[in-house]
Amino acid sequence: MKLRKLALCAVLMGSVAMPAMAGKADDTLNWATDKEVAVLDPYFSVTRELVIMGHMGWDGLVLYNGETGEFDPLLATSWTWDGNTAIEFDLREGVVFHDGSAFDADDVVYTINFLADEANAVPAQSVVGWMKSATKLGQYKVRLELDEPFPNAFAYLSNEIMIMPEGLYDNAAVAADGTRDLSAVAPTGTGPYMVSDVKSGDHVLWEKNDAYFEGGPKGTPEIGKINFRTIKESNTQLAELMTGGLDWAWDVPKEQALRLEESGRVQVVNEKTLRISYMAFDVDGSSGQDYFTDQKVRAAVAHAINREAIAKELVGPASEVIHSACHPDQFGCTQDVAQYEYDPAKAKALLAEAGYPDGFEFDLYGYRQREFTEAVIGDLAAVGIRANLNWLQYRSLLGLVQDGKTPINHMTWGSSSIPDVAAITSHFFTGSSDDPAKDPRTAEALSRGDTSIDPEVRKEAYAEALGIISQELYWLPMFTYAKYYAFSNDLDFKPTSDEIPRLYEAKWK
């Protein structure tokens, strides 16, 4: 085993003083969110901040290319499938970890076998549980065994599986109850940036890895330092953007983003994400309100909602209306399904046919972006469907949804930024507690798609399932989400649609 070292603008401009360390002059890209980062390990913290920093500090075997839709070689240089349940990888030579030790097959084998062992209690088991084991075939060659056919393997290898040094977790501190505190291990990766300073709940400072290998898909880092800061108040974040204390922020509310753009002091971009909005119906009457057991009533709801107006006027110009229970950018997500255009007159006619000429009153549940749900409620009221809004925290609402107690729930899903139908449709329509219909036809079709590595077989199977879901209207897919990014005029940065900002690719103008 190798040894390792363990008008808003005026208000905003007047609300904070200029911080000492900022931007291009100090070769430091400062970014912030409202989240505190206490654990610097992409396996033991599942926040979006750690996803972003995970790609800064660590590398996986492959990296997803959003422009081509393919997977580029990263720590692996090539690979071959051996049947449906094994992949052999040739590894990149000459790579070193941040502690100076050399990368090879031992590190890949250690990482995968650590993740695959449930006894190590990696929090997101769904992310790692598809891997059975890894074996070393040579100093730069490994074999990855899968528990069963898993065509989404490369999406997870790209987004979620970061390679750690062999033995990294072996010397973790042992708590009084005998468990190892694996989350407290010093961060060590091969990525383009390395951690140089941390203050829990305040900041994480990363420095450029001058030893980062050349010729890989991440390029070589140009900005000297990247500093993450926790700033709880959104107005304070935006004020620091205006005064130069921050160089980058995202998820800026639309109204504030437009005002920032008008100021000319920062760049503002609206970029699509892999998150979608959807409305799920109680199709079996388990909630006690049986209106939506009738497909005609579900269709009336679909025709009553002006999804296009919500997408463009409330979400942002990068948002688009969707018709399938998936994101259009995901593999296998055909939009060639039954579609329900905005047509209030047709909605009223369907209600009358279903026996509700005067409409009815029901409970609608939501948790995110209340203004979007309130716009839905307004559209429904116009055709006589009167919604009582129940606004909850996500975890509370999820429990009610899984218990079948919500007549309609307005929810979202981000697919863990996995560009594949299996990360969304297969999650919701294969008979689990998240499945509103439990239709054996969708479960069977999705199973065919999920257990084949033949792209054409998968596309055909997913199209069948998506067609059933749309025809029956188990879900009303709504629109894709979009985020507003705001960043310094000095910064050359390009947002991506997978919600994994490539800060390691940023450079100064």
Side-chain angles (χ1 to χ4, degrees):
M1 180 179 291
K2 304 174 209 172
L3 296 177
R4 311 288 175 177
K5 297 179 185 176
L6 292 182
L8 174 67
C9 295
V11 174
L12 294 179
M13 290 178 64
S15 64
V16 296
M18 178 75 136
M21 184 178 67
K24 185 176 180 179
D26 292 297
D27 197 19
T28 302
L29 191 167
N30 288 273
W31 65 292
T33 74
D34 61 352
K35 301 296 190 299
E36 294 186 1
V37 173
V39 177
L40 267 177
D41 188 300
Y43 295 124
F44 292 93
S45 177
V46 294
T47 65
R48 179 60 54 168
E49 287 73 13
L50 251 293
V51 172
I52 298 169
M53 287 188 267
H55 284 269
M56 290 166 50
W58 291 267
D59 292 320
L61 294 173
V62 298
L63 185 68
Y64 180 68
N65 187 323
E67 294 182 0
T68 66
E70 303 292 334
F71 294 95
D72 292 333
L74 190 51
L75 289 180
T77 56
S78 63
W79 51 85
T80 56
W81 281 91
D82 183 6
N84 290 336
T85 57
I87 315 169
E88 294 187 359
F89 293 92
D90 292 307
L91 304 178
R92 189 180 298 272
E93 300 182 31
V95 177
V96 295
F97 284 94
H98 297 156
D99 63 4
S101 54
F103 159 81
D104 64 16
D106 290 328
D107 306 301
V108 178
V109 170
Y110 172 81
T111 300
I112 290 174
N113 288 339
F114 176 87
L115 298 175
D117 185 352
E118 293 184 3
N120 290 320
V122 175
Q125 278 297 310
S126 62
V127 167
V128 302
W130 55 275
M131 298 183 294
K132 182 178 181 180
S133 64
T135 54
K136 180 179 178 179
L137 302 180
Q139 185 175 4
Y140 295 101
K141 193 176 185 69
V142 297
R143 179 180 175 89
L144 169 60
E145 301 279 355
L146 283 58
D147 279 320
E148 59 185 7
F150 189 67
N152 231 359
F154 277 80
Y156 281 89
L157 288 171
S158 171
N159 280 5
E160 309 286 353
I161 310 302
M162 306 299 174
I163 302 303
M164 303 294 178
E166 181 193 11
L168 178 71
Y169 298 108
D170 294 352
N171 295 318
V174 178
D177 62 1
T179 59
R180 290 183 297 167
D181 184 5
L182 300 174
S183 66
V185 174
T188 307
T190 63
Y193 285 84
M194 61 182 73
V195 177
S196 66
D197 187 54
V198 180
K199 183 178 179 181
S200 181
D202 183 78
H203 71 267
V204 182
L205 180 63
W206 298 78
E207 290 190 3
K208 180 171 64 172
N209 177 11
D210 289 325
Y212 193 63
F213 62 87
E214 297 182 355
K218 289 186 177 180
T220 52
E222 295 196 22
I223 293 177
K225 296 179 181 179
I226 299 180
N227 189 40
F228 168 79
R229 298 169 55 198
T230 298
I231 300 178
K232 291 291 188 179
E233 294 295 328
S234 62
N235 280 351
T236 305
Q237 290 181 29
L238 301 181
E240 291 211 21
L241 272 171
M242 293 288 289
T243 58
L246 286 180
D247 303 291
W248 188 94
W250 73 346
D251 226 0
V252 180
K254 181 180 179 181
E255 181 179 348
Q256 295 179 354
L258 295 179
R259 291 182 177 178
L260 286 170
E261 187 174 36
E262 288 175 2
S263 77
R265 292 174 176 265
V266 295
Q267 303 174 72
V268 175
V269 176
N270 186 248
E271 176 61 64
K272 64 182 177 180
T273 75
L274 274 180
R275 182 170 297 277
I276 71 160
S277 168
Y278 67 91
M279 298 182 70
F281 296 97
D282 171 19
V283 298
D284 62 9
S286 60
S287 68
Q289 298 179 16
D290 61 1
Y291 307 111
F292 307 108
T293 60
D294 188 335
Q295 196 272 353
K296 288 183 178 179
V297 174
R298 301 197 293 271
V301 169
H303 286 298
I305 300 172
N306 190 343
R307 292 176 286 165
E308 183 72 27
I310 296 173
K312 297 306 180 186
E313 296 175 16
L314 296 182
V315 186
S319 174
E320 61 181 303
V321 172
I322 55 175
H323 305 285
S324 286
C326 51
H327 192 290
D329 288 353
Q330 291 177 309
F331 174 87
C333 185
T334 177
Q335 298 293 303
D336 185 17
V337 296
Q339 300 186 6
Y340 302 85
E341 302 300 334
Y342 176 55
D343 189 339
K346 188 169 186 177
K348 290 181 179 180
L350 286 167
L351 286 173
E353 289 179 28
Y356 302 105
D358 299 320
F360 56 84
E361 187 172 329
F362 77 103
D363 291 315
L364 188 154
Y365 288 76
Y367 81 102
R368 183 179 180 130
Q369 266 89 27
R370 186 171 181 137
E371 66 271 25
F372 300 171
T373 305
E374 288 177 342
V376 167
I377 290 173
D379 286 343
L380 293 177
V383 300
I385 307 175
R386 301 172 296 280
N388 300 313
L389 178 58
N390 295 265
W391 199 252
L392 303 174
Q393 294 294 316
Y394 175 74
R395 292 189 180 279
S396 299
L397 176 53
L398 181 62
L400 293 176
V401 170
Q402 293 178 336
D403 290 340
K405 295 181 179 179
T406 58
I408 293 182
N409 56 82
H410 188 189
M411 306 283 276
T412 77
W413 189 252
S415 297
S416 297
S417 295
I418 301 297
D420 196 291
V421 162
I424 178 169
T425 319
S426 299
H427 176 88
F428 285 100
F429 292 97
T430 50
S432 74
S433 59
D434 288 313
D435 187 344
K438 297 180 175 58
D439 188 329
R441 297 175 298 167
T442 62
E444 189 279 327
L446 291 168
S447 178
R448 272 188 278 124
D450 292 346
T451 55
S452 173
I453 62 171
D454 184 327
E456 296 308 314
V457 170
R458 299 188 70 213
K459 288 178 183 178
E460 181 180 354
Y462 292 148
E464 180 180 334
L466 291 167
I468 294 169
I469 295 164
S470 186
Q471 188 64 48
E472 299 290 347
L473 256 178
Y474 296 142
W475 266 21
L476 174 63
M478 296 285 285
F479 48 81
T480 60
Y481 267 76
K483 281 185 184 292
Y484 277 97
Y485 296 73
F487 47 96
S488 167
N489 286 328
D490 289 331
L491 191 64
D492 184 352
F493 168 79
K494 182 180 179 182
T496 53
S497 62
D498 60 5
E499 290 186 88
I500 306 178
R502 271 67 166 170
L503 294 180
Y504 55 80
E505 291 183 345
K507 55 188 176 182
W508 301 118
K509 293 181 177 178

